[in-house]
């Protein structure tokens, strides 16, 4: 921007605008008309660009000022931005990630993939940035949060979720059993598998672990009609069980978590950062795994 630094967005895809960085002027080229990110993206970029002189020293300390591959892992909520109505406007910066591009071996050829991972950054510098950003955000009616601590008010009631019955419909039989039994039969999560699904009289290539597969089976569509290949059919059922457990067991965790922003059950999820559980942060979303279907995003 006239030789000066500015903030840009990156959705992590291989689209040229993501690789270049999406400026405010690029938003309507990157997203379809009416997409929620056009308005919100512009507000985010305006806010951060206004704050740039104030937070420059913090960006230098974080290694972000001269490295365009460093990203803020953040959420921006204006009332009812996604699905949940929070009753207030806020920015939550969960941490800093670094974007990388790598060549990985696919089934038939080498593939180029972009992905981001959290790196070891100066937590004090991030808190300083949050403190310096807060007054500028407040002028625009937003609060600023970093990692919001949560605590369990009781143990999750997994047995309640595990005992509920779910049915998979097929030509041979309608198989109904508890989530616990479905999970005991899950020998492999097909997270990287693609299968062919009959959609509107055409074969569509979909992820075995995907919302489309999950919803079709959950709503009682016949797996023998949806998937002609026996291997695809089993992968689809495994993907369905994976999604089902992720949603239902996630809900039980969120129900017993509390935070300074209120009960986490009423929020869109929680990021788990605990080396005793996982070396990488991960998110528990519960019912929002489907709630996003009603969003402008």
């Amino acid at each position: 921007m006239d030789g000066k630094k500015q903030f840009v967005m990156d959705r992590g895809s291989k689209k040229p605008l993501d690789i270049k960085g999406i400026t405010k002027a690029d938003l309507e080229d990157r997203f379809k008309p009416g997409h929620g990110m056009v308005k919100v993206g512009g507000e985010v970029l305006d806010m951060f660009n206004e704050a740039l002189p104030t937070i420059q020293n913090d960006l230098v300390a974080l290694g972000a000022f001269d490295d365009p591959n460093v990203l803020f892992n953040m959420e921006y909520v204006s009332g009812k931005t996604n699905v949940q109505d929070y009753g207030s406007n806020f920015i939550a910066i969960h941490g800093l990630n670094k974007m990388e591009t790598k060549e990985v071996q696919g089934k038939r050829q080498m593939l180029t993939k972009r992905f981001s991972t959290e790196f070891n950054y100066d937590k004090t510098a991030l808190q300083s940035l949050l403190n310096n950003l807060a007054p500028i955000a407040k002028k625009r009616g937003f609060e600023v949060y970093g990692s919001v601590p949560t605590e369990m008010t009781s143990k999750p009631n997994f047995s309640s979720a595990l005992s509920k019955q779910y049915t998979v419909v097929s030509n041979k039989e309608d198989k109904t059993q508890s989530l616990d039994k479905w999970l005991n039969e899950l020998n492999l999560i097909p997270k990287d598998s693609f299968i062919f699904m009959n959609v509107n009289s055409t074969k569509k290539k979909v992820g075995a672990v995907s919302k489309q597969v999950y919803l079709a089976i959950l709503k009682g569509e016949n797996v023998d009609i949806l998937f002609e290949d026996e291997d695809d059919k089993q992968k689809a059922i495994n993907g369905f069980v994976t999604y089902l457990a992720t949603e239902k067991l996630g809900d039980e965790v969120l129900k017993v978590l509390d935070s300074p922003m209120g009960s986490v059950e009423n929020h869109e999820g929680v990021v788990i950062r605990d080396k005793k559980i996982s070396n990488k942060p991960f998110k528990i979303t519960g019912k929002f795994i489907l709630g996003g279907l009603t969003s402008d995003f």
Side-chain angles (χ1 to χ4, degrees), residues 73 94-98 116-121 123 273 281:
N73 176 12
H94 302 301
L96 269 71
N97 288 16
K98 184 164 283 192
S116 67
T117 51
E118 191 166 85
F119 64 96
N120 191 21
Y121 55 87
K123 305 297 190 295
R273 277 191 175 84

Side-chain angles (χ1 to χ4, degrees), residues 4 25-27 40 42 46 59 66 70 117 130 149 162 173 183 194 197 200-201 207 212 244 251 265 272 288-289 297:
K4 296 180 181 178
D26 293 327
L27 287 168
V40 167
D46 282 345
L59 292 169
D66 290 313
V70 174
T117 51
L130 296 172
L162 289 168
E173 63 175 344
L183 281 170
F194 286 90
M197 179 176 179
N200 298 325
S201 303
Q212 189 164 8
L244 184 66
D251 277 341
E265 182 183 8
I272 305 297
F288 182 68
I289 202 169
F297 293 81

Side-chain angles (χ1 to χ4, degrees), residues 270-284:
V270 61
V271 176
I272 305 297
R273 277 191 175 84
D274 189 336
K275 295 288 186 183
K276 296 191 294 291
I277 299 173
S278 171
N279 287 325
K280 293 182 179 180
F282 63 93
K283 191 171 186 179
I284 296 176

Side-chain angles (χ1 to χ4, degrees), residues 1 11 21-22 30 41 43 77 104 135 160 204 210 216 230 239 246 268:
M1 187 167 62
R11 300 283 277 181
I22 308 162
R30 174 62 177 84
E43 292 175 352
V77 174
V104 297
S160 171
K204 183 177 179 181
S210 64
E230 285 298 320
T246 300
E268 292 168 14

Side-chain angles (χ1 to χ4, degrees), residues 190-199 202-214 226-227 232 235-236:
K191 59 186 179 66
D192 298 318
S193 296
F194 286 90
I195 58 179
F196 288 97
M197 179 176 179
N198 291 319
V199 181
T202 61
K203 278 191 177 182
K204 183 177 179 181
K205 189 178 180 181
V206 297
V209 183
S210 64
K211 281 183 185 177
Q212 189 164 8
V213 169
Y214 175 48
L226 290 171
F227 312 101
D232 282 0
K235 286 178 179 176

Side-chain angles (χ1 to χ4, degrees), residues 83-86 150-151 153-154 247-248 250-259 261-270 284-289:
V83 173
Q84 177 60 42
D85 189 348
Y86 288 90
T150 62
E151 63 177 1
T153 56
S154 61
E247 179 187 351
K248 302 306 179 184
D251 277 341
E252 296 305 321
V253 174
L254 298 184
K255 283 177 185 177
V256 298
L257 285 177
D258 199 11
S259 79
M261 294 172 66
S263 170
V264 178
E265 182 183 8
N266 298 319
H267 290 188
E268 292 168 14
V270 61
I284 296 176
T285 57
K287 57 183 174 286
F288 182 68
I289 202 169

Side-chain angles (χ1 to χ4, degrees), residues 12-278:
S13 80
K14 291 190 288 185
K15 293 183 178 180
L17 278 177
D18 278 333
I19 294 171
K20 176 185 80 70
I22 308 162
T23 66
K24 184 179 180 182
D26 293 327
L27 287 168
E28 289 192 348
D29 292 326
R30 174 62 177 84
F31 302 101
K32 294 178 181 177
H35 193 286
M37 283 307 302
V38 175
K39 176 178 180 292
V40 167
E43 292 175 352
V44 170
L45 292 171
D46 282 345
M47 184 182 302
F48 274 81
N49 283 326
E50 180 187 345
L52 186 51
T54 308
I55 62 177
Q56 180 171 329
N57 289 339
D58 302 318
L59 292 169
V60 170
L62 288 165
F65 190 70
D66 290 313
D67 188 346
N69 292 311
V70 174
L71 312 174
F72 287 119
N73 176 12
M74 63 169 284
E75 291 180 73
Y76 178 95
V77 174
S78 176
K80 192 175 185 293
T81 300
N82 280 347
V83 173
Q84 177 60 42
D85 189 348
Y86 288 90
S88 64
N89 305 330
F90 67 87
I91 294 170
I93 298 180
H94 302 301
L96 269 71
N97 288 16
K98 184 164 283 192
M99 182 64 73
E100 296 179 72
T101 302
K102 284 189 177 180
E103 297 288 322
V104 297
Q105 181 62 57
K107 285 187 177 179
R108 297 182 181 85
Q109 60 189 19
M110 295 298 290
L111 303 173
T112 302
K113 288 199 172 183
R114 297 182 79 223
F115 58 93
S116 67
T117 51
E118 191 166 85
F119 64 96
N120 191 21
Y121 55 87
D122 185 338
K123 305 297 190 295
T124 304
L126 178 57
Q127 187 58 53
S128 175
L129 183 145
L130 296 172
N131 295 342
N132 288 324
L133 180 63
I136 293 163
K138 195 171 185 65
K139 282 193 308 180
R140 296 170 178 263
F142 285 81
E143 300 295 324
V144 175
Y145 294 100
S147 289
V148 178
T150 62
E151 63 177 1
M152 280 192 170
T153 56
S154 61
K155 287 186 176 181
N157 186 10
F158 291 130
S159 60
S160 171
L162 289 168
S163 64
K164 289 184 179 174
Q165 306 279 307
Y166 298 94
T167 300
V168 172
V169 176
S170 67
N171 289 336
K172 185 179 178 181
E173 63 175 344
D174 292 354
K175 186 174 180 179
T176 301
Q177 58 186 17
S178 67
L179 175 56
D180 189 21
K181 286 186 177 178
W182 281 116
L183 281 170
N184 282 332
E185 293 177 3
L186 179 63
N187 53 14
L188 181 67
I189 295 175
K191 59 186 179 66
D192 298 318
S193 296
F194 286 90
I195 58 179
F196 288 97
M197 179 176 179
N198 291 319
V199 181
N200 298 325
S201 303
T202 61
K203 278 191 177 182
K204 183 177 179 181
K205 189 178 180 181
V206 297
V209 183
S210 64
K211 281 183 185 177
Q212 189 164 8
V213 169
Y214 175 48
L215 285 172
I217 297 177
L218 187 67
K219 290 176 180 178
E221 293 189 42
N222 189 318
V223 293
D224 286 310
I225 296 173
L226 290 171
F227 312 101
E228 295 172 12
D229 183 84
E230 285 298 320
D231 189 45
D232 282 0
K233 193 182 306 177
Q234 187 55 54
K235 286 178 179 176
I237 292 171
N238 288 346
F240 160 73
V241 174
T242 300
Y243 242 89
L244 184 66
T246 300
E247 179 187 351
K248 302 306 179 184
L249 297 179
D251 277 341
E252 296 305 321
V253 174
L254 298 184
K255 283 177 185 177
V256 298
L257 285 177
D258 199 11
S259 79
M261 294 172 66
S263 170
V264 178
E265 182 183 8
N266 298 319
H267 290 188
E268 292 168 14
V270 61
V271 176
I272 305 297
R273 277 191 175 84
D274 189 336
K275 295 288 186 183
K276 296 191 294 291
I277 299 173
S278 171

